[in-house]
Amino acid sequence: MDERIRKLSDEIAREQDPIRTLTDEVGKVVVGQRDLVEKVIIGLLCHGHLLLEGVPGLAKTLLVRTIAACFDASFHRVQFTPDLLPADLVGTLVFDPRDHTFLPHKGPLFANVILADEINRAPAKVQSALLEAMQERQVTIGDETFPLPTPFLVLATQNPLEQEGTYPLPEAQVDRFLLKVLVHYPERDEEKLIVRRMATGEPAKLQRVLSPADVQRIREIVGRVHLDERIEDYIIDLVR
């Protein structure tokens, strides 16, 4: 084995522990949905945003909240509604009567993890506020541009289009997501465990296992993973 690849493999092996711990911590709250948890972690480590789709009641919001609780970083939740405005996300300019100037008031997008809850209940005008933030990791308020925190991850939940009061996401908005994950109903044994946990009413005690510095370090390792030329050709052939 090439020495560079062997050294990288050793680094990856060392960094697996915090990822396993994060998965175990989420499992204290969210029953099942192992595949969903793994895909969220993939998005976090690959600079990608995720779109979670499923009917209400499948713990989509609970999952995002739990991951944020295990991640030692800032977290904001935005409930998308038909009357939401772009300024409600990115912020706006506020007039200061003392200096007779306009000062930027930053919106909830300025956080490491953003939960865009029921994102398809807001019209396309609101989606435009997310385009720059998700693609460029920055927000423009007035004539000034502000960088967003690093890492920056948007985890959006949406209800199926068959649900009343939903809008199809614009193509430009869908393109900003690395993965779309369909959330399914739990198995019978998992539902029984959910019933038992809900009956006790005792919240699980979660520990923070990842920091922004940890994520940046692991992302750097992910960026150095060896990609064989044959796989590159296969990807290009698929796209073409």
Side-chain angles (χ1 to χ4, degrees), residues 4-15:
R4 183 179 61 86
I5 297 178
R6 187 191 64 78
K7 184 177 180 180
L8 179 60
S9 298
D10 293 340
E11 290 186 65
I12 293 174
R14 288 195 298 270
E15 295 295 348

Side-chain angles (χ1 to χ4, degrees), residues 17-31:
D17 287 341
I19 301 301
R20 290 197 185 99
T21 305
L22 174 62
T23 305
D24 294 339
E25 286 296 305
V26 173
K28 293 180 181 178
V29 177
V30 180
V31 178

Side-chain angles (χ1 to χ4, degrees), residues 4 22 47 73 99 122 125 161 172 220:
R4 183 179 61 86
L22 174 62
H47 303 262
D99 300 329
K125 176 177 64 175
L161 290 178
E220 189 273 332

